[in-house]
Amino acid sequence: MTRTVKGFLTAGLVFAGATVGAAETSLLADGSFERGGVRWELPKPFWSVEKGVGFEGSAALTLRVGKGETIKWPNSDFFPVEGGLSYRINAWQKTG
């Protein structure tokens, strides 16, 4: 039996700014998966990008895994981070 878990990364990893009121900048390439997972390594057959199933009908990263299978996790491109700064990770997940 295969179970499908659908998740949607809404904003990914963002730089929250070093000062109060600074604009947030996304550090994660295609964190919404609207461009099909560009610059992501999505191990097959577990992960795929599906249009129209994410938050408010957008694209979503979809996981399909069978009982007893070992999941291989997706990876995004590397991005620089600096010590002493604040970072925030946002995600939205739906199961079904």
Side-chain angles (χ1 to χ4, degrees):
M1 176 180 203
T2 300
R3 178 177 170 92
T4 302
V5 178
K6 296 179 181 176
F8 175 71
L9 213 50
T10 56
L13 180 66
V14 296
F15 168 59
T19 61
V20 175
E24 294 183 348
T25 303
S26 178
L27 299 177
L28 198 56
D30 196 18
S32 66
F33 301 102
E34 293 300 317
R35 294 185 293 147
V38 172
R39 296 173 57 190
W40 281 84
E41 179 185 322
L42 304 173
K44 304 279 186 212
F46 305 105
W47 299 93
S48 63
V49 175
E50 291 185 38
K51 300 282 185 185
V53 298
F55 188 74
E56 296 181 347
S58 56
L61 180 62
T62 302
L63 169 63
R64 286 190 173 82
V65 62
K67 185 176 181 179
E69 288 185 305
T70 301
I71 300 170
K72 294 181 181 175
W73 295 98
N75 295 300
S76 70
D77 278 351
F78 287 99
F79 45 84
V81 294
E82 296 180 37
L85 299 178
S86 297
Y87 297 88
R88 185 176 70 228
I89 299 172
N90 295 323
W92 180 80
Q93 180 181 335
K94 174 174 77 174
T95 61

